């Protein structure tokens, strides 16, 4: 960040895009394996990424620290020290074999905007805080938004006992990372400290590209329900147990997966269901599977539709398990309600988009975001940036430099013109 070119050499703030892409690439190099980008909560890659982001925050003129759950937090004071803040942010954990833009684009663009204000020596009538959330994706502990829930003061202590696939509990992982699992409450912020929460993020879908627009205003973040399913049958010899006598857990899971797909494909528009993880034991070619665990992720345009769909899917799975004489265990691991973006804040996002000369277009977010937790302590809005082919959660995820730059210009304009709720124009 400190080597950023001064503005004025090209189009207004053109250097922001170059700087942001440079940082995106630097952060993407911090990964569990060099050939696939994977950066998971409370790992050594988390630590290395946090150190790098904290250094960028300090270069940008912010006071910065790691909080009690491993979020990176930067603060740029307003005209007077201690003023309430406009909080900007996104996450810096990834899914497995991820793209490099989901999360980091919003976080790094926010830091770049603050760096720009800092270079100009500009202070605003409010503080700016930038938060990099440590666990949005929920890859490790089957519970999403752990970073933003800690900040919102809604962290569920019972999650501390949840174990990752290696049998390490969240409590143990926090201690190994050097954090105190009994003091996560120290990360919590209060409504009075925040004027609003604003997040820039890649769209992760094809809508903006289809309309040839670089940016869009988010109307609401769709809710989601996630379940963990376990089917237990009877393991046995693949050569000797006749087909009618089998209680094959993997075949049962396969039927459930197809039933979920069929139900969502033919159901009401916008309903989506995904089984993204499955594990069969004992897991051998010549052994009938005795036990299978799999996950289910269900999303719909409204909470009412989602709840009805989940109830229907659960009934179908119960029927399949009963018919196949499999023991079923189904647990809801995560339930997020749909979060509307605040109209007063959305209006300011729209003004900034129009101010940069782009058509204002509103769209919902099918993906989950940290705003779903932040809504408990602040009004929330989001600015989407177009991504190529609508591809996300995939290494081919891509944002063009011109769109990175457009997003940064809109965000900077939005920050500079930000008015707290109820303030006069
Ligand atoms: C987060 O990316 C989610 O929507 O699952
Ligand atoms: Mn994601
Ligand atoms: Mn994301």
């Amino acid at each position: 960040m400190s080597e950023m070119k001064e503005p004025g050499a090209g189009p207004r703030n053109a250097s922001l895009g170059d700087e942001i892409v440079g940082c995106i690439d630097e952060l993407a190099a911090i990964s569990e394996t060099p050939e696939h980008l994977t950066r998971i909560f409370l790992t050594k890659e988390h630590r290395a990424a946090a150190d790098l982001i904290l250094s960028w925050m300090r270069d940008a003129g912010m006071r910065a620290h790691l909080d009690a759950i491993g979020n990176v937090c930067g603060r740029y004071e307003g005209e007077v020290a201690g003023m309430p803040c406009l909080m900007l942010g996104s996450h810096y954990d990834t899914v497995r074999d991820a793209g490099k833009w989901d999360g980091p684009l919003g976080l790094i663009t926010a830091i770049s905007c603050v760096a720009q204000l800092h270079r100009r020596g500009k202070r605003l009538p409010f503080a700016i805080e930038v938060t990099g959330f440590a666990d949005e994706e929920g890859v490790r502990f089957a519970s999403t938004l752990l970073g933003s829930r800690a900040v919102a003061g809604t962290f569920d202590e019972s999650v501390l006992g949840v174990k990752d696939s290696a049998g390490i509990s969240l409590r143990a992982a926090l201690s190994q990372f050097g954090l105190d699992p009994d003091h996560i409450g120290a990360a919590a912020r209060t409504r009075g400290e925040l004027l609003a929460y604003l997040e820039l993020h890649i769209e992760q879908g094809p809508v903006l590209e289809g309309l040839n627009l670089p940016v869009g205003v988010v109307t609401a973040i769709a809710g989601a329900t996630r379940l963990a399913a376990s089917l237990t049958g009877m393991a046995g010899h693949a050569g000797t147990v006749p087909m009618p006598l089998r209680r094959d857990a993997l075949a049962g899971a396969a039927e459930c997966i197809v039933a979920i797909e069929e139900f969502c494909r033919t159901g009401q528009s916008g309903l989506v269901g995904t089984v993204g993880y499955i594990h069969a034991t004992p897991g051998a070619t010549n052994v009938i599977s005795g036990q299978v665990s799999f996950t289910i992720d269900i999303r719909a345009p409204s909470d009412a539709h989602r709840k009805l769909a989940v109830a229907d899917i659960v009934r179908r799975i119960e029927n399949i398990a009963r018919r196949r004489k499999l023991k079923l265990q189904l647990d809801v691991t995560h339930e997020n309600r749909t979060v509307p973006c605040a109209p007063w804040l959305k209006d300011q996002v729209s003004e900034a988009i129009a101010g940069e000369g782009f058509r204002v277009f509103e769209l919902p977010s099918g993906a989950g975001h940290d705003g779903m937790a932040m809504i408990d302590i602040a009004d929330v809005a989001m600015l989407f940036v177009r991504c190529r082919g609508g591809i996300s959660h995939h290494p081919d995820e891509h944002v063009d430099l011109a769109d990175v730059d457009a997003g940064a210009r809109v965000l900077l304009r939005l920050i500079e013109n930000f008015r707290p709720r109820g303030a006069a124009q």
Side-chain angles (χ1 to χ4, degrees):
M1 291 274 165
S2 51
E3 289 170 18
M4 196 156 104
K5 284 177 253 145
E6 286 300 318
R12 187 173 167 271
N13 297 328
S15 59
L16 277 185
D18 291 320
E19 170 185 83
I20 292 163
V21 173
C23 292
I24 292 271
D25 287 337
E26 205 178 333
L27 189 59
I30 302 175
S31 170
E32 202 174 285
T33 55
E35 54 298 339
H36 304 287
L37 171 54
T38 302
R39 205 168 41 245
I40 306 294
F41 185 39
L42 302 175
T43 57
K44 66 180 193 322
E45 293 76 37
H46 174 179
R47 169 74 64 191
D51 288 346
L52 180 62
I53 299 164
L54 287 169
S55 75
W56 289 337
M57 286 175 160
R58 291 181 186 124
D59 287 349
M62 287 183 262
R63 238 179 27 245
H65 70 281
L66 194 76
D67 77 4
I69 188 109
N71 298 321
V72 284
C73 308
R75 181 173 166 97
Y76 184 73
E77 293 291 349
E79 285 158 355
V80 178
M83 298 176 111
C85 72
L86 168 63
M87 187 180 278
L88 310 170
S90 198
H91 59 101
Y92 67 105
D93 65 320
T94 69
V95 292
R96 294 199 172 278
D97 199 10
K100 60 187 175 185
W101 307 87
D102 171 7
L105 181 64
L107 176 57
I108 292 169
T109 303
I111 298 171
S112 266
C113 287
V114 175
Q116 189 78 330
L117 296 174
H118 178 56
R119 274 190 296 272
R120 292 194 209 139
K122 184 158 182 178
R123 297 281 166 183
L124 297 166
F126 50 87
I128 302 172
E129 294 199 15
V130 180
T131 307
F133 296 107
D135 178 67
E136 187 262 10
E137 304 284 8
V139 170
R140 185 164 179 188
F141 294 105
S143 183
T144 61
L145 307 176
L146 294 178
S148 43
R149 284 195 210 284
V151 172
T154 55
F155 179 83
D156 174 4
E157 303 260 322
S158 71
V159 179
L160 288 170
V162 174
K163 292 189 174 148
D164 67 7
S165 57
I168 301 168
S169 68
L170 172 55
R171 172 177 288 281
L174 283 161
S175 299
Q176 283 163 18
F177 194 80
L179 296 168
D180 182 347
D182 293 319
H183 283 92
I184 287 173
R189 308 296 300 273
T190 58
R191 189 167 278 280
E193 294 176 290
L194 270 68
L195 298 170
Y197 173 74
L198 190 59
E199 177 165 349
L200 176 150
H201 201 283
I202 59 164
E203 181 203 334
Q204 304 180 274
V207 176
L208 293 174
E209 189 176 63
L211 293 165
N212 197 23
L213 293 173
V215 289
V217 192
V218 177
T219 50
I221 309 169
T225 303
R226 291 187 183 175
L227 301 109
S230 162
L231 287 171
T232 307
M234 181 74 183
H237 197 292
T240 60
V241 184
M243 297 309 283
L245 299 185
R246 294 186 179 200
R247 289 168 57 224
D248 183 331
L250 189 48
E255 192 178 341
C256 293
I257 295 168
V258 172
I260 294 166
E261 186 190 43
E262 194 58 24
F263 178 77
C264 294
R265 185 180 274 166
T266 55
Q268 90 1 266
S269 124
L271 173 67
V272 286
T274 306
V275 174
Y277 170 89
I278 183 161
H279 180 76
T281 44
T285 314
N286 58 349
V287 183
I288 299 161
S289 175
Q291 196 274 333
V292 171
S293 307
F294 60 98
T295 58
I296 308 169
D297 180 310
I298 308 288
R299 310 187 195 202
S302 82
D303 288 341
H305 284 135
R306 189 183 77 256
K307 284 183 180 150
L308 282 174
V310 169
D312 217 317
I313 285 168
V314 166
R315 263 195 308 278
R316 281 160 200 251
I317 292 175
E318 283 170 350
N319 287 341
I320 292 167
R322 198 173 307 114
R323 178 164 38 75
R324 288 176 167 269
K325 299 189 173 51
L326 300 171
K327 183 166 149 275
L328 171 68
Q329 168 90 26
L330 257 184
D331 295 305
V332 174
T333 54
H334 157 109
E335 174 109 51
N336 270 324
R337 64 206 183 282
T338 296
V339 164
C341 292
W344 70 272
L345 209 48
K346 242 174 28 158
D347 288 349
Q348 295 192 32
V349 179
S350 301
E351 272 171 37
I353 290 175
E356 286 298 326
F358 302 118
R359 176 155 83 85
V360 175
F361 180 79
E362 295 196 349
L363 71 171
S365 171
H369 299 287
D370 288 297
M372 299 172 106
M374 294 303 292
I375 191 82
D376 285 324
I377 51 165
D379 284 348
V380 166
M382 291 192 74
L383 168 66
F384 268 175
V385 177
R386 161 172 60 188
C387 65
R388 188 178 60 196
I391 297 169
S392 186
H393 283 185
H394 188 280
D396 288 349
E397 191 176 84
H398 176 77
V399 183
D400 284 342
L401 174 62
D403 292 347
V404 174
D405 204 60
R409 289 194 335 256
V410 171
L411 186 64
L412 185 57
R413 178 180 285 268
L414 183 49
I415 296 168
E416 290 189 271
N417 293 299
F418 174 74
R419 301 165 310 278
R421 181 178 197 164
Q425 286 274 143

